Amino acid sequence: MSEHEYVPKSKAGKWFNDRLPLLSLASHLTDYPTPKNLNYWWTFGGILTFCLLTQIITGIVLAMHYVAHADLAFASVEHIMRDVNYGWLIRYIHSNGASMFFLAVYIHIFRSLFYGSYKSPREIIWIIGLMIYLLMMAAAFMGYVLPWGQMSFWGATVITNLFSAIPLVGDSITTWLWGAYSVDNPTLTRFFSLHYLIPFLILGLVVLHIWALHIPGNNNPVGIDIKKPSKDTVPFHPYITIKDAFALLLFSIIFAGFVFFAPNVLGHSDNYIQANPMVTPAHIVPEWYLLPFYAILRSVPDKLGGVILMFGAIFILFVLPWLDTSKVRSAVFRPIYRQFFWILVLDVLVLGYVGAMPAEGIYLVLARVGTVYYFLHFIVILPVVGYLEKTEPVPLSISEPVLSGSANYSMAKKDNEKI
Amino acid sequence: MDKPEKKTTTRRDFLFTTSYTVGAVGLGAVIWPLIDQMNPDKAQKALATTEVDISQIEPGKSITVLWRGKPVFLKRRTQEEILEARSVSLNDLPHPEKDEERVKSGKDEWLVMLGVCTHLGCVPLSNKGDYKGWFCPCHGSHYDLSGRIRKGPAPKNMEIPKYEFVDANTIKIG
């Protein structure tokens, strides 16, 4: 970015900034030119940062009262709920915070899919984002094990057993993950250790995510490259900060609604039964945010195949920037892709629904159709639509359609020109 | 680096290669303990055997005991159940094993196996499923009266642990 060189006004500020340019960084973040047409779908980056910090702060507090031991963990969580001052509140914020975090990240990801934010030159932002998403799933999974309830124990058993599908070394890997011959105390203690570590890894990746974002700058709803700074941009502060703050306020109301009025609605009641290695609950389900992947896993009548497809469903997203052949970023100007986007949203919702249902009958059929369509979308539909689609005219700048007084981009370039 | 040189192997190349090699070996030697510490420790390995009194088990009944943190099914099968398990053609089995191979000869009524579904590790329910043996509620695997997989996503029969009859009424698992 070609920004003005920042010089602190005070002598002390200049002295400090010459030695560690923190003030220059603050100035960059404040003045950072942002497209002026960002809509509320763009506020989820800030919301996600809030979610991460909430999880870290409440998590540090919970770790002061929690005991990571197979005999004591369940009781210590009840101790937090009943005895610790405001323990119930902190735990409910933490457990519902995980759900809110995923809700926000899914909106953030689908926003990127709709507006083509993953495309050149933002591939690295997208890939770092996916790494954050993978770490989030690891952290959420391990965190769910810590209360040592029935769902904790059997969820951990099922997920760690996924690795036993690996040919030859699978069983050794599973035993290594457990530190025992089943999910047991050594598993719990290492999950606690890693659950504490991962949020800080995520924090590091968030810094890289934002750093990579600040090189090309934000994508925007019309998906065109803009000059920065120009009449198409506004400074990050106060324009974006206030918009982000307002969105965060609305988001917090929903968050608080869950925490105070329905704190257990997103959890599973079986997790209030202490872990019992002799009895598997009749119906094991993961947390809601993992259900689509669970549906994909169960849709394949083969152990290794199911595991490969489930991981494949995530890893295919890493090559998404190269699967999408369209040069137009925003779905606003892509009439065909726009429809397939909404079908994909529907497909993921259906997969999530059948993931919560027993794997039989119509649910199994739906899971298989949904799985096939999911991969079809990325492997076939995206590359082909990119070639065949007649995109609508893209405006030259954000201001132009407004300033020219026309809603249909009268001055627009032809779609076959380079954007 | 200063100026282009002839492509010959120099003392410096030798020093680079040996330094990298020694460095890699040293790094490996440090990393291995950090990895291996996650494997089952001595206390876990010490729990390796369990003795079970089987004198109270009636024919057709089974008990479940915990061994190495995993449930073990001990089922005393009736004659009909043994006959049914043995009447199956090996061609019908995804993981072909004769029933005779899964029990101790002369102790045909005793089926001792890990009560762990070979799909993703849940505990199957006994006397359920399409083959009168076990049914795993997690992802719908059906096992027969010999604990062999018949239908569903599990790839293998339920595992037979190492065990022996200490005397007529006692089985030692492990």
Side-chain angles (χ1 to χ4, degrees):
Chain A
M1 266 155 297
S2 57
E3 278 180 83
H4 61 277
E5 196 66 31
Y6 173 76
V7 183
K9 285 189 189 76
S10 74
K11 214 169 176 186
K14 190 173 181 315
W15 180 89
F16 182 83
N17 203 51
D18 285 344
R19 283 151 183 81
L20 181 68
L22 275 185
L23 295 170
S24 291
L25 178 66
S27 160
H28 161 79
L29 294 175
T30 311
D31 300 341
Y32 173 64
T34 316
K36 66 179 182 184
N37 60 340
L38 295 189
N39 56 34
Y40 274 102
W41 300 114
W42 259 265
T43 59
F44 283 88
I47 287 170
L48 283 161
T49 312
F50 167 81
C51 287
L52 177 62
L53 295 178
T54 304
Q55 292 307 88
I56 288 177
I57 292 166
T58 53
I60 288 170
V61 171
L62 289 171
M64 294 178 186
H65 304 280
Y66 170 80
V67 184
H69 188 282
D71 295 336
L72 304 172
F74 188 81
S76 77
V77 171
E78 284 310 301
H79 161 72
I80 289 168
M81 295 301 289
R82 294 154 195 247
D83 303 338
V84 174
N85 301 331
Y86 294 103
W88 60 272
L89 176 65
I90 293 155
R91 176 166 175 259
Y92 277 152
I93 291 174
H94 196 73
S95 58
N96 285 285
S99 283
M100 291 298 116
F101 205 159
F102 276 95
L103 176 68
V105 93
Y106 283 128
I107 295 173
H108 195 61
I109 290 171
F110 276 108
R111 188 271 288 155
S112 182
L113 290 179
F114 187 85
Y115 293 110
S117 301
Y118 52 86
K119 292 190 202 187
S120 174
R122 297 184 179 82
E123 301 96 323
I124 298 295
I125 311 173
W126 171 253
I127 287 168
I128 292 171
L130 288 174
M131 289 161 70
I132 293 172
Y133 175 52
L134 280 176
L135 283 178
M136 278 174 64
M137 289 197 282
F141 159 65
M142 292 189 199
Y144 197 56
V145 175
L146 301 184
W148 211 239
Q150 273 290 67
M151 277 297 159
S152 302
F153 184 90
W154 291 103
T157 299
V158 167
I159 301 296
T160 49
N161 263 300
L162 294 177
F163 293 92
S164 70
I166 302 168
L168 302 177
V169 293
D171 286 329
S172 311
I173 289 177
T174 312
T175 306
W176 178 74
L177 288 172
W178 288 336
Y181 300 99
S182 63
V183 172
D184 209 333
N185 191 52
T187 325
L188 176 60
T189 50
R190 68 190 52 182
F191 277 15
F192 180 55
S193 171
L194 295 173
H195 182 71
Y196 208 119
L197 165 72
I198 290 173
F200 296 97
L201 298 180
I202 294 177
L203 193 61
L205 285 176
V206 166
V207 172
L208 295 183
H209 194 60
I210 295 172
W211 187 2
L213 169 70
H214 281 230
I215 302 302
N218 290 67
N219 186 28
N220 63 79
V222 288
I224 54 170
D225 290 327
I226 51 172
K227 269 208 227 101
K228 295 176 297 267
S230 70
K231 64 184 195 310
D232 280 349
T233 67
V234 290
F236 189 78
H237 183 74
Y239 295 95
I240 303 298
T241 43
I242 198 68
K243 186 164 184 163
D244 276 359
F246 180 65
L248 181 58
L249 194 73
L250 298 180
F251 185 81
S252 304
I253 291 171
I254 297 168
F255 193 157
F258 276 109
V259 169
F260 290 104
F261 297 104
N264 289 306
V265 77
L266 297 170
H268 198 294
S269 52
D270 274 8
N271 224 27
Y272 283 102
I273 304 169
Q274 190 165 1
N276 180 357
M278 304 280 266
V279 181
T280 305
H283 188 195
I284 295 188
V285 278
E287 293 278 76
W288 68 266
Y289 38 80
L290 302 177
L291 286 172
F293 300 108
Y294 196 57
I296 291 173
L297 169 76
R298 297 193 305 179
S299 70
V300 186
D302 175 80
K303 183 171 166 180
L304 182 59
V307 173
I308 288 173
L309 276 202
M310 187 184 73
F311 284 107
I314 300 166
F315 285 105
I316 198 165
L317 296 173
F318 280 87
V319 291
L320 174 63
W322 296 276
L323 289 174
D324 187 345
T325 51
S326 175
K327 287 198 165 60
V328 175
R329 289 196 194 101
S330 175
V332 169
F333 306 105
R334 300 186 59 190
I336 309 295
Y337 170 73
R338 200 158 60 216
Q339 294 168 40
F340 282 115
F341 169 84
W342 288 112
I343 296 173
L344 181 72
V345 172
L346 184 70
D347 183 57
V348 172
L349 290 176
V350 167
L351 281 173
Y353 172 71
V354 297
M357 295 292 134
E360 56 197 30
I362 180 70
Y363 300 121
L364 195 56
V365 176
L366 278 173
R368 287 180 179 159
V369 172
T371 301
V372 169
Y373 184 80
Y374 181 90
F375 285 98
L376 205 65
H377 176 90
F378 291 107
I379 296 172
V380 179
I381 294 173
L382 269 187
V384 171
V385 166
Y387 279 118
L388 301 183
E389 184 177 41
K390 174 122 179 69
T391 54
E392 287 158 10
V394 172
L396 281 166
S397 79
I398 295 170
S399 310
E400 179 195 280
V402 181
L403 295 181
S404 65
S406 163
N408 57 5
Y409 312 118
S410 57
M411 310 260 296
K413 293 197 291 186
K414 289 286 166 278
D415 60 293
N416 56 358
E417 285 175 47
K418 193 176 175 297
I419 306 137
Chain B
M1 268 160 242
D2 302 325
K3 42 189 159 178
E5 287 172 34
K6 271 180 277 173
K7 268 208 165 182
T8 52
T9 310
T10 61
R11 260 171 77 89
R12 178 159 293 188
D13 291 334
F14 172 76
L15 287 172
F16 275 142
T17 308
T18 47
S19 309
Y20 288 143
T21 309
V22 172
V25 170
L27 202 64
V30 173
I31 285 174
W32 176 245
L34 292 174
I35 293 172
D36 191 43
Q37 55 82 23
M38 281 176 68
N39 274 316
D41 57 28
K42 291 186 181 67
Q44 288 291 334
K45 287 178 179 162
L47 302 171
T49 64
T50 304
E51 290 202 2
V52 189
D53 177 10
I54 55 171
S55 58
Q56 304 299 317
I57 307 172
E58 302 288 331
K61 299 289 178 194
S62 69
I63 63 164
T64 307
V65 297
L66 211 56
W67 173 67
R68 280 181 162 184
K70 284 178 177 166
V72 175
F73 296 152
L74 294 98
K75 185 175 169 80
R76 187 171 179 185
R77 300 182 297 177
T78 61
Q79 282 308 315
E80 300 94 77
E81 287 175 331
I82 296 171
L83 285 176
E84 181 161 349
R86 295 188 174 179
S87 65
V88 182
S89 160
L90 284 185
N91 297 329
D92 296 342
L93 299 173
H95 177 196
E97 265 186 320
K98 282 186 180 168
D99 183 61
E100 288 86 339
E101 297 165 14
R102 295 176 57 79
V103 294
K104 303 267 187 217
S105 62
K107 300 278 188 185
D108 296 349
E109 58 178 1
W110 291 102
L111 179 64
V112 179
M113 64 182 179
L114 285 184
V116 175
C117 180
T118 56
H119 182 225
L120 295 173
C122 297
V123 180
L125 306 167
S126 60
N127 299 318
K128 290 250 168 70
D130 296 354
Y131 299 90
K132 298 179 197 167
W134 287 266
F135 171 72
C136 183
C138 292
H139 308 95
S141 292
H142 300 254
Y143 295 89
D144 67 12
L145 286 160
S146 191
R148 293 172 297 198
I149 180 65
R150 300 297 291 274
K151 200 169 104 179
K156 283 190 234 155
N157 303 335
M158 279 194 265
E159 193 183 331
I160 306 292
K162 193 170 154 250
Y163 71 95
E164 60 186 66
F165 285 85
V166 179
D167 55 52
N169 287 330
T170 313
I171 289 178
K172 188 173 95 179
I173 306 168

